[in-house]
Coordinates of all heavy atoms in Angstrom, one line a residue:
D988 N 0.8 -1.2 0.0 CA 0.0 0.0 0.0 C 0.8 1.3 0.0 O 0.3 2.4 -0.1 CB -0.9 0.0 1.2 CG -1.9 -1.2 1.2 OD1 -2.2 -1.7 0.2 OD2 -2.4 -1.5 2.3
T989 N 2.2 1.1 0.1 CA 3.1 2.3 0.2 C 3.7 2.5 -1.2 O 4.2 1.5 -1.8 CB 4.2 2.0 1.3 OG1 3.5 1.8 2.5 CG2 5.1 3.2 1.4
P990 N 3.7 3.7 -1.7 CA 4.3 3.9 -3.0 C 5.8 3.7 -3.0 O 6.5 3.9 -2.0 CB 3.9 5.3 -3.4 CG 3.7 6.0 -2.0 CD 3.2 4.9 -1.1
F991 N 6.4 3.4 -4.2 CA 7.8 3.3 -4.3 C 8.4 4.7 -4.2 O 7.8 5.7 -4.5 CB 8.2 2.7 -5.7 CG 8.0 1.2 -5.8 CD1 7.0 0.7 -6.5 CD2 9.0 0.4 -5.2 CE1 6.8 -0.7 -6.6 CE2 8.8 -1.0 -5.3 CZ 7.8 -1.5 -6.1
H992 N 9.7 4.8 -3.8 CA 10.4 6.1 -3.8 C 10.6 6.5 -5.2 O 10.7 5.7 -6.2 CB 11.7 5.9 -3.1 CG 11.6 5.6 -1.6 ND1 10.9 6.4 -0.7 CD2 12.2 4.6 -0.9 CE1 11.0 5.8 0.5 NE2 11.8 4.7 0.4
D993 N 10.7 7.8 -5.4 CA 10.9 8.4 -6.7 C 12.3 8.0 -7.1 O 13.3 8.3 -6.5 CB 10.9 10.0 -6.6 CG 11.1 10.7 -7.9 OD1 11.4 10.0 -8.9 OD2 11.1 11.9 -7.9
P994 N 12.5 7.4 -8.3 CA 13.8 6.9 -8.7 C 14.8 8.1 -9.0 O 16.0 7.9 -8.9 CB 13.5 6.1 -10.0 CG 12.2 6.6 -10.5 CD 11.5 7.0 -9.3
F995 N 14.2 9.2 -9.3 CA 15.1 10.4 -9.6 C 15.8 11.0 -8.4 O 16.5 11.9 -8.5 CB 14.3 11.4 -10.4 CG 13.9 10.9 -11.8 CD1 12.6 10.5 -12.0 CD2 14.8 10.7 -12.8 CE1 12.2 10.0 -13.2 CE2 14.5 10.2 -14.0 CZ 13.2 9.9 -14.2
L996 N 15.4 10.5 -7.2 CA 16.2 10.9 -6.0 C 17.6 10.3 -6.0 O 18.5 10.8 -5.3 CB 15.4 10.4 -4.7 CG 14.1 11.1 -4.5 CD1 13.4 10.4 -3.3 CD2 14.3 12.6 -4.2
M997 N 17.8 9.3 -6.8 CA 19.1 8.7 -6.9 C 20.1 9.5 -7.7 O 19.7 9.9 -8.8 CB 19.0 7.2 -7.4 CG 20.3 6.4 -7.2 SD 20.1 4.7 -7.7 CE 18.9 4.1 -6.5
A998 N 21.3 9.8 -7.2 CA 22.2 10.6 -8.0 C 22.5 10.0 -9.3 O 22.6 8.7 -9.5 CB 23.6 10.6 -7.2
D999 N 22.6 10.8 -10.3 CA 22.9 10.5 -11.7 C 21.8 9.7 -12.4 O 21.9 9.3 -13.6 CB 24.2 9.6 -11.8 CG 25.4 10.5 -12.1 OD1 25.3 11.7 -12.0 OD2 26.5 9.9 -12.3
M1000 N 20.6 9.5 -11.8 CA 19.6 8.7 -12.4 C 19.0 9.3 -13.6 O 18.8 8.7 -14.7 CB 18.4 8.4 -11.4 CG 17.3 7.6 -11.9 SD 17.8 5.9 -12.5 CE 18.0 5.1 -10.9
E1001 N 18.7 10.6 -13.6 CA 18.2 11.3 -14.8 C 19.1 11.2 -15.9 O 18.8 10.9 -17.1 CB 17.8 12.7 -14.4 CG 17.1 13.4 -15.6 CD 16.6 14.8 -15.2 OE1 16.8 15.2 -14.0 OE2 16.0 15.5 -16.1
R1002 N 20.4 11.5 -15.6 CA 21.4 11.5 -16.7 C 21.6 10.1 -17.3 O 21.6 9.9 -18.5 CB 22.8 12.0 -16.1 CG 23.9 11.9 -17.1 CD 25.2 12.6 -16.4 NE 26.4 12.4 -17.2 CZ 26.7 13.1 -18.2 NH1 26.0 14.1 -18.6 NH2 27.9 12.9 -18.9
G1003 N 21.6 9.1 -16.4 CA 21.8 7.7 -16.9 C 20.6 7.2 -17.7 O 20.7 6.6 -18.7
A1004 N 19.4 7.5 -17.2 CA 18.2 7.0 -17.8 C 18.0 7.7 -19.2 O 17.6 7.1 -20.2 CB 17.0 7.3 -17.0
E1005 N 18.4 9.0 -19.3 CA 18.3 9.7 -20.5 C 19.3 9.2 -21.6 O 18.9 9.1 -22.7 CB 18.6 11.2 -20.3 CG 18.4 12.1 -21.6 CD 17.1 12.0 -22.2 OE1 16.1 12.1 -21.5 OE2 17.1 11.7 -23.5
R1006 N 20.4 8.7 -21.1 CA 21.4 8.1 -22.0 C 20.9 6.8 -22.6 O 21.1 6.5 -23.8 CB 22.8 7.9 -21.3 CG 23.8 7.3 -22.2 CD 24.2 8.3 -23.4 NE 25.1 7.6 -24.3 CZ 24.8 6.9 -25.4 NH1 23.5 6.7 -25.6 NH2 25.7 6.5 -26.2
V1007 N 20.3 6.0 -21.7 CA 19.7 4.7 -22.2 C 18.6 5.0 -23.2 O 18.5 4.4 -24.3 CB 19.1 3.9 -21.0 CG1 18.4 2.7 -21.5 CG2 20.3 3.5 -20.1
L1008 N 17.7 6.0 -22.9 CA 16.6 6.3 -23.8 C 17.1 6.8 -25.2 O 16.6 6.5 -26.2 CB 15.6 7.2 -23.2 CG 14.8 6.7 -22.1 CD1 14.0 7.7 -21.4 CD2 13.9 5.5 -22.6
C1009 N 18.2 7.6 -25.1 CA 18.8 8.1 -26.3 C 19.3 7.0 -27.2 O 19.1 7.0 -28.4 CB 19.9 9.1 -25.9 SG 20.8 9.8 -27.4
A1010 N 19.9 6.0 -26.6 CA 20.4 4.8 -27.3 C 19.2 4.0 -27.9 O 19.3 3.5 -29.0 CB 21.2 3.9 -26.4
V1011 N 18.1 3.9 -27.2 CA 16.9 3.2 -27.7 C 16.4 3.9 -28.9 O 16.1 3.3 -29.9 CB 15.9 3.1 -26.6 CG1 14.6 2.6 -27.1 CG2 16.4 2.2 -25.4
R1012 N 16.3 5.3 -28.8 CA 15.7 6.0 -29.9 C 16.6 6.0 -31.1 O 16.1 6.0 -32.3 CB 15.5 7.5 -29.5 CG 14.4 7.6 -28.3 CD 14.4 9.0 -27.8 NE 13.6 9.1 -26.6 CZ 14.0 9.9 -25.5 NH1 15.2 10.5 -25.5 NH2 13.2 9.9 -24.4
R1013 N 17.9 6.0 -31.0 CA 18.8 5.9 -32.1 C 19.2 4.5 -32.6 O 20.0 4.4 -33.5 CB 20.1 6.7 -31.7 CG 20.0 8.1 -31.4 CD 21.3 8.7 -30.9 NE 21.3 10.1 -30.6 CZ 22.2 10.8 -30.0 NH1 23.4 10.2 -29.7 NH2 22.1 12.1 -29.7
D1014 N 18.6 3.5 -31.9 CA 18.9 2.1 -32.3 C 20.4 1.8 -32.1 O 21.0 1.0 -32.8 CB 18.4 1.8 -33.7 CG 18.4 0.3 -33.9 OD1 18.0 -0.4 -32.9 OD2 18.7 -0.2 -35.0
E1015 N 21.0 2.5 -31.1 CA 22.4 2.2 -30.8 C 22.5 0.8 -30.1 O 21.7 0.5 -29.2 CB 23.0 3.3 -29.9 CG 23.2 4.6 -30.5 CD 23.7 5.6 -29.5 OE1 23.8 5.3 -28.3 OE2 24.1 6.7 -30.0
P1016 N 23.5 0.0 -30.4 CA 23.7 -1.2 -29.6 C 24.0 -1.0 -28.2 O 24.9 -0.2 -27.8 CB 24.9 -1.9 -30.3 CG 25.0 -1.2 -31.7 CD 24.5 0.2 -31.5
I1017 N 23.2 -1.6 -27.3 CA 23.4 -1.5 -25.9 C 23.8 -2.9 -25.3 O 23.2 -3.9 -25.7 CB 22.1 -1.1 -25.2 CG1 21.6 0.3 -25.7 CG2 22.3 -1.0 -23.6 CD1 20.2 0.6 -25.3

């Protein structure tokens, strides 16, 4: 019944997630 913590509270999360999504959009090999 308790929500998960906001993942963006973790240091570098926004930067890291954005880099993964950029690779997904560009079809870069991950």
